[in-house]
Amino acid sequence: MREYEDILYETKGRLGIVTLNRPEKMNALSHRLRAELFDALKVAEADGDVHVVIIRGAGRTFSAGYDITPVPNLSESDYLDYRSGLPSVGPIHPGQGQWPQHLLSGYWQIWELAKPVIAQVHGYALAGGSELASMCDLMYVAEDAIIGYPPVRAMTTVDILYHPWHMGMRKARELCYTGDSVTGLEAVELGWANRAFPVDQLAEETEKMGERIANIAPDMVMMSKRGLNRAYEVMGFRTALQVGADIQALSTFRDSAGEFGRIAQEKGLKAALDWRDGPFQDYGAAKKRPSAPKS
């Protein structure tokens, strides 16, 4: 078994279980964590005894999103070194728009994996955390889970625009225009998640479903997954996500794009999050929006 720093990987019967393991950071998706996650998926894919993969989070949450801790002022060479630390996910296209294209390349690995991947979501699944969960084949959630994409309030549009594929148009617009969240129970009602359970039953019930799928021969499940994938691709799934990534890159060039980053650099990430979420009084933000620093 491989040793990892930011995830745990174990097998349990016919299940391969990946646990995001940065609980002190609410399992923020750092470069290293994502690299280890993709590596563990390859390990599970190559293991004939593993039929289904489950992704879950350690501690009190699934994942609060990508690790956006401000990077100190770096020289150009140091910045290039930092960017080169991105996980290897296949073709990378440096330059403008690299970030969403890189993310999308990573998630296609889940899409193309022969084995079903289940997201087991409790606590928060925000921004990148919601993208990871939504790109899995199935999603089982705690009833009180909080799932949403708050960066659309002040940062960028959605990196992986999954909303139109998991819910109706009206709700997709509402969530993308406001950055609001839904509970696990609401996610099931929308068709975004499969089933919701009390949080203390979530792991047991998710594993039961994994074992239920594992009763079917892996090559049979693989063909079923491939058929479903191709059906959604014919409907434009791949192209739609690709266009969404392009729009995300363009959104970084809008007039107000730098405000969040400036606040994070000058006052810290918490102040920037409070500035972003304060008017909405959610995600633990201060109720009054602090004024932006002078540029």
Side-chain angles (χ1 to χ4, degrees):
M1 192 65 64
R2 303 191 190 205
E3 294 294 329
Y4 297 112
E5 295 187 52
D6 287 340
I7 69 165
L8 303 173
Y9 179 73
E10 61 182 312
T11 57
K12 185 175 182 180
R14 297 173 292 185
L15 307 178
I17 300 177
V18 181
T19 303
L20 312 180
N21 193 35
R22 299 183 75 204
E24 74 287 354
K25 296 289 187 181
M26 297 182 71
N27 297 321
L29 304 175
S30 65
H31 293 350
R32 183 170 65 195
L33 185 150
R34 290 184 299 110
E36 293 180 353
L37 168 63
F38 295 137
D39 184 79
L41 291 176
K42 293 181 177 71
V43 171
E45 182 85 325
D47 187 343
D49 293 328
V50 171
H51 292 201
V52 177
V53 180
I54 295 173
I55 301 176
R56 59 178 55 156
R60 62 192 180 95
T61 202
F62 177 74
S63 174
Y66 300 117
D67 192 339
I68 58 172
T69 304
V71 178
N73 292 328
L74 299 175
S75 66
E76 183 176 357
S77 61
D78 286 342
Y79 180 75
L80 291 174
D81 288 341
Y82 167 74
R83 282 309 239 178
S84 69
L86 292 171
S88 175
V89 293
I92 295 295
H93 307 285
Q96 295 177 350
Q98 177 186 6
W99 176 249
Q101 298 298 339
H102 157 77
L103 295 176
L104 192 53
S105 294
Y107 290 127
W108 287 139
Q109 296 189 55
I110 295 175
W111 182 260
E112 293 291 358
L113 208 70
K115 299 170 182 180
V117 181
I118 301 175
Q120 177 188 309
V121 176
H122 75 293
Y124 287 110
L126 303 180
S130 73
E131 291 176 352
L132 171 58
S134 297
M135 287 298 289
C136 292
D137 297 275
L138 302 169
M139 181 160 67
Y140 295 94
V141 298
E143 294 174 344
D144 60 353
I146 301 297
I147 310 168
Y149 205 95
V152 297
R153 293 173 175 175
M155 298 165 71
T156 71
T157 57
V158 182
D159 295 300
I160 311 299
L161 190 57
Y162 55 76
H163 296 79
W165 297 92
H166 292 291
M167 62 195 74
M169 182 192 297
R170 301 301 184 193
K171 194 64 179 182
R173 290 184 184 275
E174 179 182 287
L175 294 181
C176 287
Y177 291 169
T178 65
D180 288 346
S181 63
V182 300
T183 66
L185 286 171
E186 291 170 329
V188 172
E189 292 175 2
L190 292 171
W192 191 356
N194 293 88
R195 303 184 192 189
F197 303 98
V199 68
D200 60 347
Q201 299 174 25
L202 177 61
E204 178 183 1
E205 295 296 336
T206 302
E207 291 173 20
K208 281 183 181 178
M209 182 53 66
E211 287 289 350
R212 186 173 179 82
I213 296 170
N215 287 326
I216 301 172
D219 55 355
M220 180 72 247
V221 177
M222 176 186 70
M223 298 309 293
S224 294
K225 177 172 178 174
R226 185 174 297 173
L228 288 166
N229 283 358
R230 300 303 176 257
Y232 286 109
E233 289 166 11
V234 168
M235 288 189 279
F237 183 80
R238 279 187 182 266
T239 301
L241 291 196
Q242 187 72 48
V243 171
D246 294 339
I247 295 296
Q248 191 276 347
L250 286 173
S251 75
T252 65
F253 293 95
R254 69 188 195 283
D255 290 343
S256 61
E259 203 64 46
F260 182 92
R262 283 195 292 272
I263 297 171
Q265 287 286 353
E266 295 179 16
K267 294 189 174 182
L269 180 58
K270 185 180 185 304
L273 293 172
D274 284 346
W275 173 81
R276 185 192 73 185
D277 299 324
F280 301 89
Q281 300 182 25
D282 58 8
Y283 300 121
K287 292 187 177 182
K288 183 177 179 180
R289 184 172 190 161
S291 58
K294 300 294 184 180
S295 58

